[in-house]
Amino acid sequence: MFRVIAYPDFKKEDPVIIHEPAKYGNKILKGVVDQELNSIHTFDFSIAQNNTYYRKFSLLNTIISIVDLNTDKIEFEGRVADETSKMSSKGEVGQTILVEDKLAYLHDSSQEYMRTTLMDTPSYFKKLIEIHNKQVEPHKRFTVRNITVDTNSGKVYRSIGYADTFDTIKDKLIDRLGGYLVYEEINGVLYLDYLEKYGDVSETPIQLARNLKDASKSTTPDELATIIVPLGAEVERNHEETEAEKADNDFSIERITIASVNDNKIELVDDKLVKQFGKIRKSIEFPNTTNKNVLKNQGLNYLKNQRVLLVAWDVGVVELGLIDNRYELFKLGNHHVVYNPLLSNEEQLQIVAKNLDVIHPQSTTLKIGNQKKTLSQYQNQLGSQQKPIEDIKERLKTNTSEVKEVKSSSEDQKQEITRVEGIASTASTEANTATLAAQNAEIKITQLDEDMKQNNAQLQQQIDELRELISKEGDK
């Protein structure tokens, strides 16, 4: 169960409970927390006019906290980012509120230009946060804690533009190097981590007939190329820029290609991918490569290791951990074994997004996976999926045969029951007839007994009268 609390500002004083899960107090009409790795988490909820905090929300100031009453921990906390007042056709008035978590503070600053400089990843990340912290209020500042992404590659050329801090981190680091941007608030201090790996391996599986309600698995081509054109460094120009080139800021720059070491062809073709998906040609840049043989090998390696398909699951699950402590609660970033033989073989996948319904927390929607697979991995998976599907088909055949046998046996039993019921019915009729005859005989016996008693009484009366008459005659 979750309690939702509103505070006027970041100081978190004068709290007001705007949703109490018990029978008393304020209630929200609906509320869903959307969590996704490397994204700003949000909480979207609605309240009615009778909520005591109606029309008291202050944009970018009001802080909303969601407290898990089972653990007494904060599940979500952030600032109000949007407010909409509504009136329905029935005259019902209310508000819809959108809240964003505190990672959104990184949108409140913009970076300062830095020309290309040799710098390693930890130093570059710290530089971006340092620029952010100089521009914002103390409660929006982050303390860099752990950096485990790309710590061994040394210094490379990096630059900084003018975009906001969050977008810069996403573009310059996460989209290029991967990793996870995670923050944690401890005693009012916002700690920021940039991690190569995130989440624990859970012992609670996501499994059909246990906690998996519904599931869909999508497989889509992700920036797929079946033919690539490897491009190296810029070709040195032996002439000065023409007036036209000077006037055109978007003129193309010639780059080193592999034509001279690849039979005068600038492209590399993956025949297996072409056979599977057709011809899809793309240019791939390796801007620091000047050796054409090295450039060709880089292109071949790119084709070989290309992650051609994006595989993701959307699943509806039951939070058994709320009622049974043998199960772990589903947490963003954790890895779970997923098993649904109708859609895939057994896989260990990461929860990359989670939708939490605050009013109905037992029903949760997860996005798991988002894995990029090579063609061979995809084909191997298809092959491995066939076996459990064939097993299921075989079990269905066996079950069908068993059902037919049961049906046949059931028909025989039904006929036997009908026969026995017929015998029982005849016996019951005969018994009823015998009972009726016995009842009639009993009635006749009773009647005869009454008649005999009546005749005996009359005969006795006649005897008494005759004796009396004889007695009178003797007296004379």
Side-chain angles (χ1 to χ4, degrees), residues 301-320:
N301 286 332
Y302 180 90
L303 275 179
K304 179 181 178 182
N305 299 315
Q306 185 183 193
R307 304 284 170 169
V308 299
L309 297 169
L310 182 66
V311 180
W313 288 74
D314 287 296
V315 298
V317 295
V318 179
E319 277 279 21
L320 295 178

Side-chain angles (χ1 to χ4, degrees), residues 281-450:
R281 176 169 149 159
K282 292 185 179 181
S283 298
I284 307 298
E285 294 185 2
F286 302 93
N288 299 320
T289 304
T290 57
N291 186 295
K292 296 179 180 180
N293 286 310
V294 172
L295 181 62
K296 181 178 180 179
N297 287 331
Q298 287 176 321
L300 291 171
N301 286 332
Y302 180 90
L303 275 179
K304 179 181 178 182
N305 299 315
Q306 185 183 193
R307 304 284 170 169
V308 299
L309 297 169
L310 182 66
V311 180
W313 288 74
D314 287 296
V315 298
V317 295
V318 179
E319 277 279 21
L320 295 178
L322 294 172
I323 57 176
D324 190 340
N325 57 17
R326 292 177 300 173
Y327 294 89
E328 299 177 30
L329 293 173
F330 295 111
K331 181 181 176 184
L332 185 71
N334 280 358
H335 300 258
H336 294 257
V337 171
V338 181
Y339 183 65
N340 182 349
L342 298 176
L343 296 180
S344 176
N345 56 312
E346 185 175 309
E347 295 181 275
Q348 186 178 87
L349 301 173
Q350 185 180 36
I351 298 175
V352 298
K354 175 182 175 180
N355 298 102
L356 172 65
D357 190 324
V358 172
I359 300 177
H360 307 289
Q362 68 277 9
S363 296
T364 300
T365 302
L366 306 175
K367 182 181 285 291
I368 54 179
N370 270 8
Q371 290 186 326
K372 292 184 178 181
K373 295 181 180 290
T374 64
L375 177 62
S376 60
Q377 288 174 327
Y378 174 65
Q379 290 172 333
N380 289 338
Q381 182 177 355
L382 287 180
S384 60
Q385 281 180 223
Q386 283 302 116
K387 187 178 186 306
I389 291 175
E390 291 302 324
D391 290 343
I392 291 173
K393 287 182 178 179
E394 197 61 37
R395 287 201 298 271
L396 286 174
K397 288 180 181 178
T398 303
N399 290 343
T400 302
S401 176
E402 291 176 352
V403 167
K404 288 181 178 179
E405 291 179 4
V406 170
K407 282 185 176 179
S408 177
S409 175
S410 176
E411 287 297 326
D412 293 341
Q413 292 176 2
K414 187 176 180 180
Q415 293 176 5
E416 180 64 18
I417 290 172
T418 302
R419 188 181 69 82
V420 172
E421 285 178 344
I423 295 172
S425 177
T426 302
S428 176
T429 302
E430 293 175 352
N432 289 337
T433 302
T435 300
L436 183 60
Q439 290 175 346
N440 291 334
E442 185 176 357
I443 291 172
K444 289 180 179 180
I445 292 171
T446 303
Q447 186 64 43
L448 289 172
D449 187 48
E450 290 294 329

Side-chain angles (χ1 to χ4, degrees), residues 34-54:
D34 291 327
Q35 302 172 326
E36 186 172 355
L37 293 175
N38 292 329
S39 296
I40 308 298
H41 299 178
T42 61
F43 175 43
D44 193 354
F45 69 98
S46 300
I47 62 170
Q49 190 176 13
N50 61 358
N51 194 298
T52 57
Y53 219 74
Y54 176 72

Side-chain angles (χ1 to χ4, degrees), residues 21-38:
K23 293 182 179 180
Y24 57 87
N26 282 325
K27 297 288 183 291
I28 63 174
L29 302 178
K30 62 179 181 178
V32 177
V33 178
D34 291 327
Q35 302 172 326
E36 186 172 355
L37 293 175
N38 292 329

